[in-house]
Amino acid sequence: MIRLEKRPQPSRAFSLATPLLAVLATMVFGGLLFAALGKDPVAAIRTIFWEPLFGQYAFFYRPQLLIKGAPLVLIAIGLSLGFKAGIWNIGAEGQYIMGALLGAGVGLAFYPLEAFYVFPLMVLAGALGGWIWAMIPALLKVQFGTNEILVSLMLVYVAEQFLASMSLGLLKNPEGFGFPGSRNLQQYPSAHNADLIEGSGMHWGVVAAMLAVIFAYVLLSKHRLGFAIRVTGEAPRAARFAGVRPARLVLFCLGTSGLLAGLAGLFEVSGPAGQVTIDFNVGYGFTAIIVAFLGRLHPVGILLAGLLMALTYIGGDIAQSQLGLPAAAIQVFQGMLLFFLLALDVLTNYRLRFGRREVA
């Protein structure tokens, strides 16, 4: 008989080892999934994790790690602040979309003006778009006690309808021969989020992600507000006795996560994506939840987890083209990371016991 016995204190060793164990378990069971689909599991795993870094065309794929990792890290940093305080923003995908829409809208409003201030205004608009969308569940929670999980998640579907409407309506390219989608911002220099170093993948979104990691680390380790966030998540009653105001914390955490998600959307639409389209959102807001927990809600851990998840994106695309793996299988493989992380995380607070339970 196998049973769980609560540990007197959470195991720090298991807490640190769980992400690595989750990755290894994902490789094993992912390999079994690929074998069930009739593919060579060793070749599939090798393609996903080895080819983008050390393969024949690694020189092309390595910059993609920064391009795909930056929005994941930027969004996950914002989410982690709320998660640490027990505030659950599940709607970062919607905030990402609204930041992209408002930022791109500002840039297209100036078209074809060539001026240095166009892109900074787009950045401000993108941050504002994500912040406004996140403040809806924040204010509803503070004023009426609604569940931020449900409200933020439902707003994702509203944002997707806005995206479709803008692609077919207000932001539609008048010179696009009737096809949905906006003008290509990559062809508008004042609004283009170009590589700072040609061919490196290092654009302003990567810089913002690094600054967000530093900001979160300093906030959580050195600032009183970071202490309030950590105490509220670990001991809510103690936080109230310490003078923490829950309403202000909700507004800050949700607002900050929305702002960073909006920035991620803006940097994506003005850079790698290039234009507003119906299928602009690719699930970064939801994948960032996996990144946040895989990184143990720690800024440095999130940075590493974001690069790992970006590696699975790139390697998954290679596996689809070279090995014929279906896209759904790659998505299941990525989802396994969160599943095994949460499953193995139980061992941080519990230990396995074998044999019969002793009767007193």
Side-chain angles (χ1 to χ4, degrees):
M1 178 181 176
I2 303 175
R3 57 190 172 85
L4 291 174
E5 180 183 278
K6 190 169 180 60
R7 298 178 185 271
Q9 298 237 348
S11 171
R12 180 168 175 78
F14 259 108
S15 179
L16 296 175
T18 295
L20 178 60
L21 293 174
V23 172
L24 293 176
T26 300
M27 288 183 177
V28 172
F29 285 90
L32 293 176
L33 171 65
F34 300 145
L37 294 173
K39 308 298 180 182
D40 183 347
V42 176
I45 298 297
R46 184 183 184 280
T47 299
I48 293 173
F49 289 100
W50 179 267
E51 287 297 321
L53 295 175
F54 307 107
Q56 183 180 0
Y57 301 103
F59 67 91
F60 172 76
Y61 294 122
R62 286 186 194 127
Q64 296 295 316
L65 285 174
L66 297 180
I67 293 173
K68 292 189 179 296
L72 291 173
V73 171
L74 201 53
I75 299 170
I77 287 291
L79 294 178
S80 69
L81 297 178
F83 292 167
K84 270 188 172 292
I87 300 166
W88 303 93
N89 177 13
I90 309 299
E93 184 78 0
Q95 296 142 27
Y96 168 87
I97 292 171
M98 296 307 292
L101 286 177
L102 194 57
V106 167
L108 293 171
F110 283 99
Y111 183 85
L113 177 67
E114 295 292 341
F116 73 92
Y117 54 79
V118 173
F119 186 70
L121 287 176
M122 291 172 62
V123 172
L124 293 176
L128 181 63
W131 181 82
I132 290 173
W133 209 244
M135 291 307 289
I136 297 174
L139 291 173
L140 288 175
K141 182 177 178 65
V142 168
Q143 293 296 323
F144 304 106
T146 58
N147 188 308
E148 76 275 15
I149 296 175
L150 294 177
V151 176
S152 61
L153 181 60
M154 292 300 102
L155 283 173
V156 173
Y157 301 101
V158 179
E160 288 176 343
Q161 296 307 309
F162 267 113
L163 177 64
S165 175
M166 293 296 104
S167 299
L168 296 167
L170 191 61
L171 296 183
K172 184 178 177 180
N173 184 0
E175 301 172 4
F177 304 102
F179 291 99
S182 68
R183 294 181 186 275
N184 193 329
L185 295 175
Q186 294 177 350
Q187 298 172 2
Y188 179 23
S190 292
H192 182 207
N193 177 28
D195 285 356
L196 300 176
I197 302 174
E198 185 67 29
S200 67
M202 175 74 73
H203 56 66
W204 284 111
V206 178
V207 175
M210 295 301 300
L211 291 176
V213 169
I214 297 170
F215 163 78
Y217 181 81
V218 173
L219 175 69
L220 292 172
S221 61
K222 305 294 183 182
H223 199 275
R224 181 179 177 182
L225 180 58
F227 173 76
I229 289 172
R230 288 186 283 111
V231 170
T232 301
E234 295 170 7
R237 290 184 64 187
R240 285 194 292 271
F241 282 118
V244 176
R245 298 185 180 182
R248 289 188 178 181
L249 207 59
V250 168
L251 294 175
F252 172 79
C253 290
L254 282 173
T256 302
S257 62
L259 183 149
L260 292 178
L263 282 176
L266 176 277
F267 289 128
E268 186 71 15
V269 77
S270 60
Q275 62 180 153
V276 175
T277 58
I278 293 176
D279 56 352
F280 162 72
N281 59 310
V282 292
Y284 282 141
F286 294 119
T287 306
I289 298 173
I290 303 177
V291 171
F293 282 104
L294 189 63
R296 312 306 292 166
L297 303 182
H298 189 282
V300 177
I302 287 172
L303 176 62
L304 298 176
L307 292 174
L308 175 64
M309 192 58 68
L311 182 63
T312 66
Y313 268 116
I314 299 165
D317 289 342
I318 299 172
Q320 288 179 59
S321 61
Q322 292 186 2
L323 305 179
L325 279 172
I330 302 300
Q331 292 170 357
V332 171
F333 181 78
Q334 292 170 338
M336 283 182 180
L337 266 176
L338 182 59
F339 173 81
F340 285 115
L341 182 68
L342 297 177
L344 293 169
D345 216 20
V346 173
L347 299 178
T348 302
N349 296 301
Y350 294 86
R351 59 165 62 97
L352 291 174
R353 288 298 190 195
F354 300 89
R356 293 184 178 181
R357 184 190 301 270
E358 295 181 5
V359 180

